[in-house]
Amino acid sequence: MAAELRPNRLTQALETRRRAGLPVIDLTESNPTRAALEYPRDLLAPLANVGGLLYAPQPFGLIEARRAAAAEYGRRGIPVDAARIVLTTSTSEAYSLLFKLLASPGDEVIVPRPSYPLFEPLTALDGLVARPYDLEYHGMWSIDFASVERSIGPRTRALLVVSPNNPTGSFISHDELERLAAICAPLGVALIADEVFADYELEAGAAASAACPLARRDVLVFGLGGVSKSIGLPQVKLGWIAVAGPERIVSEALERLELVCDTYLSVSTPVQLAAAELLDRGGAIRRQIAARIAVNHGGLQALSAAAPSCHVLRASGGWYAVVQVPTLRSEEELVLDLLTRDGVLVHPGYFYDFPRESYLIVSLLTPEGPFATGVGRMLERAGH
Ligand SMILES: Cc1ncc(COP(=O)(O)O)c(C=O)c1O
């Protein structure tokens, strides 16, 4: 399919350029460990805890690590009982465990669009079908409920919410969550709320004024989080699922989820023993990331003010920014031009399933200097 080949052309052009030894300003960097942040050299020392020599497997994880994950919600003002925390190695694994819990091959999961490109392969790998609902932009992002109603059907088992969403930067509002819960609860459809970027706001107060899926008591909710974003340690492989909703339904879900988790027992003991200390120490990384994205977001807005044909869409949180640019050529031609002529790598909107052209997506995690240079070139190229 053409859509699947398109990212390859960009990847090929990137490889050719790198092989030729030509410089690349990478405005797609979303790996914090490659983003020139200052990681203390002994940050991972807690992983050497001698207790890690003993293996005492627990399907949901060691209670001290589950408490540490619950405390992360506490830090954000959301009370979560450690008994309702399930440890995973990553958010991707959490999705897969939940898909196994909630659905059978051929069943459907409703996913936001535009959003994280991994939802398609993640659902497919569990034999499920991803059906989209749209996020629309009218000066701010909101859910198109007509598209939710269109996509939901008798085989729908879960609806995904990403708050703040990648790459739109939109948090779910109270009204939206209320409406989604009212649609899903009577149908027995679970809400999966991916909050991996919840610590990062681009507008002051955005996180606090967003709706809190884990506070629901009327619908089964699975909240997802993890250290890959919250403390910039994707290689440490620790994530979690927090479960909320009606008591009886939550208890049943936990009982069945325990069997799924007991089959894999995938989270390593050393990381579980280290969890509390890592989460504590990692605050220093989180603060660096928060400062980085704030500077870059401000810089992007200032630079785009001088490029009237380009428009930075409003983003309230997360690590990304979306820039709407004139459609003087296809997005694909534009991103290839930007790479081959300007040495700047950005993602095209179609990568995230934007319904129309032209949008460019940049990672605010990019170090400040290259970010400003790259964005300057991008705005210049896109506007002409
Ligand atoms: C919305 C969203 N969820 C999950 C992840 C990945 O998290 P993990 O590394 O825990 O699998 C990402 C990574 O970019 C993401 O954008």
Side-chain angles (χ1 to χ4, degrees):
M1 242 165 66
E4 281 167 9
L5 293 177
R6 283 193 213 156
N8 291 344
R9 277 189 73 191
L10 188 59
T11 314
Q12 275 167 7
L14 179 63
E15 229 172 78
T16 307
R17 194 174 167 90
R18 289 217 158 115
R19 240 185 281 122
L22 295 166
V24 175
I25 296 181
D26 186 356
L27 298 187
T28 71
E29 188 58 84
S30 59
N31 176 348
T33 67
R34 290 225 182 93
L37 298 168
E38 276 174 37
Y39 287 86
R41 291 193 67 78
D42 66 346
L43 183 63
L44 302 184
L47 287 171
N49 185 326
V50 70
L53 289 172
L54 180 73
Y55 186 40
Q58 297 285 339
F60 288 160
L62 300 177
I63 191 62
E64 52 266 52
R66 296 165 71 196
R67 283 198 193 108
E72 284 296 282
Y73 288 103
R75 180 174 57 74
R76 288 173 36 215
I78 302 165
V80 173
D81 185 343
R84 292 185 166 193
I85 294 277
V86 177
L87 300 184
T88 67
T89 56
S90 67
T91 317
S92 289
E93 188 192 47
Y95 278 117
S96 184
L97 294 170
L98 292 176
F99 293 160
K100 288 170 176 52
L101 171 76
L102 299 167
S104 306
D107 283 344
E108 296 169 1
V109 174
I110 310 291
V111 305
R113 173 176 72 183
S115 192
Y116 186 39
L118 224 59
F119 292 145
E120 193 73 44
L122 280 173
T123 45
L125 283 169
D126 273 298
L128 306 182
V129 180
R131 292 179 43 86
Y133 68 91
D134 294 317
L135 303 179
E136 289 186 332
Y137 188 77
H138 302 286
M140 61 183 284
W141 290 95
S142 58
I143 294 175
D144 170 17
F145 277 89
S147 69
V148 176
E149 300 282 4
R150 268 198 308 275
S151 281
I152 221 158
R155 296 207 67 173
T156 304
R157 298 293 175 259
L159 185 145
L160 269 50
V161 167
V162 186
S163 181
N165 186 36
N166 166 11
T168 62
S170 45
F171 285 89
I172 186 166
S173 73
H174 289 272
D175 178 53
E176 287 174 327
L177 182 59
E178 201 62 47
R179 291 180 68 179
L180 286 181
I183 293 170
C184 292
L187 299 173
V189 170
L191 276 182
I192 300 179
D194 182 332
E195 298 186 304
V196 294
F197 292 109
D199 286 306
Y200 302 101
E201 52 180 31
L202 296 167
E203 290 177 333
S209 56
C212 177
L214 287 171
R216 302 301 307 191
R217 295 293 171 262
D218 54 346
V219 62
L220 181 60
V221 176
F222 298 94
L224 308 186
V227 303
S228 91
K229 309 293 187 254
S230 79
I231 53 171
L233 290 175
Q235 77 281 32
V236 164
K237 293 290 162 198
L238 180 65
W240 50 81
I241 302 168
V243 191
E247 287 294 331
R248 189 182 53 81
I249 298 178
V250 168
S251 303
E252 279 173 15
L254 283 171
E255 234 171 78
R256 286 184 296 120
L257 190 54
E258 190 164 358
L259 291 178
V260 181
C261 293
D262 199 26
T263 308
Y264 292 97
L265 296 168
S266 54
V267 187
S268 84
T269 302
V271 80
Q272 295 186 56
L273 290 175
E277 207 178 337
L278 286 179
L279 285 164
D280 184 41
R281 291 171 168 224
I285 313 298
R286 177 166 53 246
R287 286 187 285 278
Q288 288 182 59
I289 295 174
R292 168 78 57 82
I293 62 173
V295 168
N296 283 340
H297 191 234
L300 175 64
Q301 283 169 322
L303 286 165
S304 70
S309 63
C310 301
H311 176 56
V312 180
L313 303 197
R314 182 172 165 191
S316 305
W319 290 3
Y320 304 93
V322 179
V323 185
Q324 186 170 19
V325 300
T327 307
L328 306 173
R329 47 199 158 325
S330 72
E331 273 178 3
E332 183 179 36
E333 280 174 81
L334 175 56
V335 295
L336 285 169
D337 253 9
L338 261 167
L339 180 60
T340 54
R341 297 168 74 175
D342 305 300
V344 176
L345 179 65
V346 301
H347 277 152
Y350 68 72
F351 194 78
Y352 298 84
D353 236 351
F354 275 65
R356 58 190 163 270
E357 304 208 338
S358 296
Y359 298 92
L360 299 177
I361 286 78
V362 294
S363 168
L364 300 171
L365 205 58
T366 313
E368 292 89 340
F371 184 84
T373 308
V375 162
R377 289 186 203 169
M378 176 187 85
L379 295 170
E380 175 68 22
R381 173 70 57 198
H384 295 94

